[in-house]
Structure formats: structure tokens, C-alpha cells
Amino acid sequence: MTFKFKRKSILLSEKNKDSKAIGYARATHNEYEYLEEQIKILKEEGCILVFSEFISLDEEIKPQLNNAINSLSKGDQLIITQLDRAFKNKKECLITINKLINKDIQLRTLTGFFAADESSNTNSSIFKILYELDNLEDKSLGERKKEQLLRRKLSGNNLGGRPKISPLKESLVIRLRNEGYSYRSIRSQTGIALSTIRRVILEGELT
């Protein structure tokens, strides 16, 4: 669902006449009034275009959010009322912010830290550091898991404590992961538990 309209006045916060602000609004199904409220607020903030949709926060792909981001150019702003309208967790938020920073696009919310009209260079530096720290945390966790699996293999202990799936399903899991599918997407396609999918992928990386 997309709403387009002409801006009545130019925002003081705009850096130059060529930049534009694009909004994104999200609500769960049947929250019609909440979605309309977000759209109204974003229009008042000067968004020339507002992308909106009824979709669960847990959905990995939010089509209208992607459309909003793809509509932005260098120097533009993506505006949302608050972070949980677009992101389900810290990692998803940091990944998206990093992509926007690399394109010289600013994320702005109407509440919290991102509401302040501060130096974009300062914000960029902060979130590049946070993004790298989050990557470090993931890599460290992955390495510890690999070490644990390797120690169990060397000691002859059972790796998972659960019945193994068939070699055919194991190869399917690994193939889907290599093709770039997320763990949840692999689960929906195969019916295999997330814990088993993680184990199969980790064991495959050790062999």
C-alpha cells in the first residue's frame, strides 16, 4: 500500500532542496487506525512518499520497507515513527542502518535517539562501531560452537543428543544454506527443527 502526496512546505531540517524524505509505516493485520495514524504523522513530517503495509514484525521480508529503501538516494532520509515499525531485533536494525550509511542515507525516527537532528557523521561513526561489534559477537559465538563440536568429535561424544536426520535431508539443508536461504526459510521448506538445521550446518563446516 503506497500513499503519495505533495508536501505543503519545506522542512527546516532539510539539508538541500535535492534531498527527499520517504516514510515507512507498518501495522499488524486489522490495526487500520494505527496505520493511518502513522501515515498522517509521516506526512506532517514532510515525507513526499509513504510506503505502508499490514505485516507481522517477525516476517523476514517486508516488501514495502524494501521498496522504501530502494526509493532513497544519497542525501535522503528514511523516516519511521519508531524503530519497532521496521525492525524486529537489534541485529536486523544494525544491518539496515549500515546499508543506509554506506549509501549516505539517514535514518530518522520521531522518538528516541534517532529523533535528534545531529551530525550524520557522528551517527555514522557510532553505528559503524556497533555494527562491527555485533559482527564480532556473532563470529565469536560461531567459533566457540565449532570448537565445542570439534572437541565432542575428537572425544567420540554424541554431537547433538538427538536422532540424526537422513543424509538426503542433511545435503538439502546445506545446499539451501549455500544458496543464501535463512535458517527460518530452510525450516519452512524442509520442516526440520531450527536446532537441527544449525547442527547440520555447523557439522558441515567442520568436515
Side-chain angles (χ1 to χ4, degrees):
M1 187 184 304
T2 305
F3 294 82
K4 191 171 184 178
F5 48 86
K6 290 185 178 180
R7 182 184 305 173
K8 293 181 179 179
S9 60
I10 297 175
L11 295 180
L12 293 176
S13 59
E14 287 184 333
K15 292 184 179 179
N16 59 68
K17 64 180 181 180
D18 296 324
S19 66
K20 62 182 180 291
I22 287 179
Y24 172 72
R26 181 196 64 81
T28 55
H29 298 288
N30 300 323
E31 290 186 328
Y32 298 102
E33 291 184 0
Y34 186 31
L35 190 69
E36 289 177 358
E37 179 186 353
Q38 292 175 64
I39 293 168
K40 179 177 180 292
I41 293 171
L42 292 169
K43 288 166 64 175
E44 291 172 350
E45 285 295 316
C47 293
I48 64 166
L49 192 62
V50 176
F51 291 85
S52 64
E53 57 191 336
F54 291 107
I55 193 170
S56 169
L57 182 61
D58 290 329
E59 289 292 334
E60 290 194 29
I61 298 176
K62 299 179 181 65
Q64 293 303 322
L65 175 59
N66 290 340
N67 288 340
I69 292 173
N70 291 335
S71 299
L72 295 162
S73 304
K74 181 178 180 180
D76 291 345
Q77 281 189 346
L78 173 65
I79 304 180
I80 52 181
T81 56
Q82 53 192 37
L83 288 177
D84 68 357
R85 294 304 86 206
F87 312 116
K88 64 182 178 182
N89 54 41
K90 177 189 71 174
K91 185 173 184 64
E92 188 176 82
C93 181
L94 288 175
I95 289 173
T96 303
I97 290 173
N98 189 62
K99 289 179 181 178
L100 294 175
I101 287 172
N102 290 337
K103 294 180 179 180
D104 197 19
I105 295 168
Q106 184 182 358
L107 172 68
R108 185 160 70 88
T109 65
L110 306 184
T111 59
F113 177 82
F114 291 94
D117 187 17
E118 298 176 355
S119 167
S120 59
N121 290 333
T122 301
N123 289 346
S124 296
S125 299
I126 292 171
F127 286 97
K128 281 180 179 179
I129 293 170
L130 289 175
Y131 180 72
E132 291 301 322
L133 289 175
D134 198 59
N135 281 341
L136 173 62
E137 185 177 296
D138 282 350
K139 289 177 181 178
S140 298
L141 180 60
E143 184 172 335
R144 285 195 293 271
K145 286 182 177 179
K146 287 180 182 180
E147 290 176 350
Q148 290 173 358
L149 287 170
L150 182 58
R151 285 196 294 270
R152 290 181 184 178
K153 272 192 170 184
L154 294 174
S155 64
N157 293 334
N158 182 278
L159 289 174
R162 296 182 180 180
K164 283 184 172 291
I165 60 175
S166 68
L168 183 62
K169 284 191 173 183
E170 286 189 354
S171 62
L172 176 60
V173 168
I174 293 172
R175 178 174 64 81
L176 290 173
R177 184 59 176 169
N178 289 338
E179 291 176 0
Y181 288 94
S182 67
Y183 285 11
R184 282 186 166 77
S185 179
I186 295 172
R187 180 183 64 180
S188 66
Q189 294 184 61
T190 63
I192 300 171
L194 283 175
S195 58
T196 303
I197 291 170
R198 292 189 185 97
R199 175 176 59 79
V200 168
I201 292 170
L202 284 172
E203 288 181 9
E205 291 174 351
L206 288 173
T207 57

